[in-house]
Amino acid sequence: MLALLASALFGLSTPLVQRFGVGLGPFATAGLLYAGAALLGALLRQPVGREAQLRRGDVPRLLLMAAFGAVLGPVALAWGLQHTSGASASLMLTLEALFTAALARALYREALDARVRAAMALILCGGVLLVIDQGLSGRAGLAGLLAVLVATMAWGADNTVSRALAERDPGQVVMVKAALGASASGLLAVLAGESVPSWPAVAALLAVGASGYGLSLRFYLLAQRTFGAARTGSVFALAPFLGAVAAVALGDRQWGLGMVAGSGAMLAGVLLHLAESHAHEHAHEALEHEHAHRHDDGHHDHTHDPMPAGTHSHWHAHAPMRHAHAHAPDAHHTHAH
């Protein structure tokens, strides 16, 4: 449900960015979106004892997340939305799941069985059909779509890097990442001489950024704790379909048979990936770490005096154990296959 909420918020934001960003430069648009996300992240920070806090060693990852996810990704998307249709751009964002899954496999060795690989192949075929459809409609449409492709690659890298911070306070992660991205994009907007947006545009983009980028990222990070990077990315791939539907509802009519075929292949890939079930006997090695947890999940059997109620965070140890159950590559299931 958290991944679905994240996808819905981000998917609906894409046609809204296209509408409210008319006449604005891509750097100014990206800066305002992530300024809104930073404000929301600051409001949603959790106290010490409820969530694990960021550490000094997290700074390199936060800088990479800001560079890929809060500067390159939104700037490329903002430019692409001005040069292609909102519906096709929204559907192209489905490829973010493909890049996320590939990087999660390469960097975190997340298990991808035959079903998942087939799903990724369908999503890739759908993206190729979209490129062909826009290429036949004109060079400007194709250039815009390729810019959106760059955005999906950037956000795929961002998703993969953020996996290691999924156990930290998501409000704090959103705040720091978004503040870094907003500052960098704002500076680039000034250096590029982009026009100053009107107050209505500022208010609209801040609101879209708070919900579609800030709250969406918070839900995404929480989902990664349970699902891992690849599977959360697959559920998140539903976002483009919601964005495409919203774009059409807002009057976008730049779609053809190629887009219909591409969206069908992408939707089939998403549904196939969601149908995956992974269960086998596995071993847990001794582990010590800190993150928010409960004592009714089968993996946290340490004691407290007194026992805290609900979710809490502290440094704790796991003893070795072996058991079998359905699982995903979360912080406790990083074993090899």
Side-chain angles (χ1 to χ4, degrees), residues 128-183:
V128 171
L129 287 172
L130 285 180
V131 171
I132 293 174
D133 180 75
Q134 287 296 298
L136 294 176
S137 68
R139 294 179 62 85
L142 179 59
L145 207 58
L146 291 177
V148 178
L149 176 63
V150 172
T152 66
M153 297 173 66
W155 275 319
D158 174 27
N159 295 339
T160 309
V161 173
S162 69
R163 174 67 189 92
L165 300 182
E167 306 303 327
R168 304 285 192 260
D169 176 7
Q172 193 176 20
V173 174
V174 170
M175 180 187 70
V176 175
K177 170 193 170 180
L180 289 171
S183 300

Side-chain angles (χ1 to χ4, degrees), residues 40-280:
L40 186 91
L43 292 174
L44 296 179
R45 286 189 61 185
Q46 297 296 308
V48 177
R50 288 286 301 278
E51 288 281 0
Q53 303 298 298
L54 288 171
R55 302 173 184 171
R56 183 175 300 178
D58 297 327
V59 170
R61 288 186 179 275
L62 287 166
L63 291 175
L64 286 174
M65 289 172 62
F68 284 117
V71 178
L72 179 58
V75 167
L77 176 64
W79 190 91
L81 285 172
Q82 296 177 2
H83 296 83
T84 190
S85 74
S88 60
S90 293
L91 290 170
M92 176 58 84
L93 289 173
T94 308
L95 291 177
E96 181 182 334
L98 177 67
F99 294 122
T100 300
L103 290 171
R105 174 62 178 172
L107 298 179
Y108 298 113
R109 311 307 300 171
E110 291 190 8
L112 301 177
D113 60 17
R115 181 192 297 269
V116 176
R117 290 194 295 271
M120 293 297 99
L122 283 170
I123 293 174
L124 176 60
C125 288
V128 171
L129 287 172
L130 285 180
V131 171
I132 293 174
D133 180 75
Q134 287 296 298
L136 294 176
S137 68
R139 294 179 62 85
L142 179 59
L145 207 58
L146 291 177
V148 178
L149 176 63
V150 172
T152 66
M153 297 173 66
W155 275 319
D158 174 27
N159 295 339
T160 309
V161 173
S162 69
R163 174 67 189 92
L165 300 182
E167 306 303 327
R168 304 285 192 260
D169 176 7
Q172 193 176 20
V173 174
V174 170
M175 180 187 70
V176 175
K177 170 193 170 180
L180 289 171
S183 300
S185 295
L187 177 60
L188 290 171
V190 173
L191 294 177
E194 293 183 353
S195 59
V196 178
S198 64
W199 283 112
V202 169
L205 289 174
L206 284 175
V208 173
S211 59
Y213 289 75
L215 192 57
S216 175
L217 177 57
R218 174 182 172 82
F219 289 153
Y220 192 99
L221 291 169
L222 290 172
Q224 276 191 328
R225 292 181 178 180
T226 302
F227 264 172
R231 287 151 185 81
T232 302
S234 290
V235 179
F236 194 76
L238 291 172
F241 298 101
L242 297 173
V245 171
V248 172
L250 291 172
D252 191 332
R253 295 294 182 268
Q254 299 183 46
W255 55 274
L257 292 178
M259 182 182 294
V260 173
S263 62
M266 288 179 167
L267 181 59
V270 171
L271 295 177
L272 185 61
H273 200 164
L274 288 176
E276 179 207 14
S277 179
H278 183 76
H280 61 88

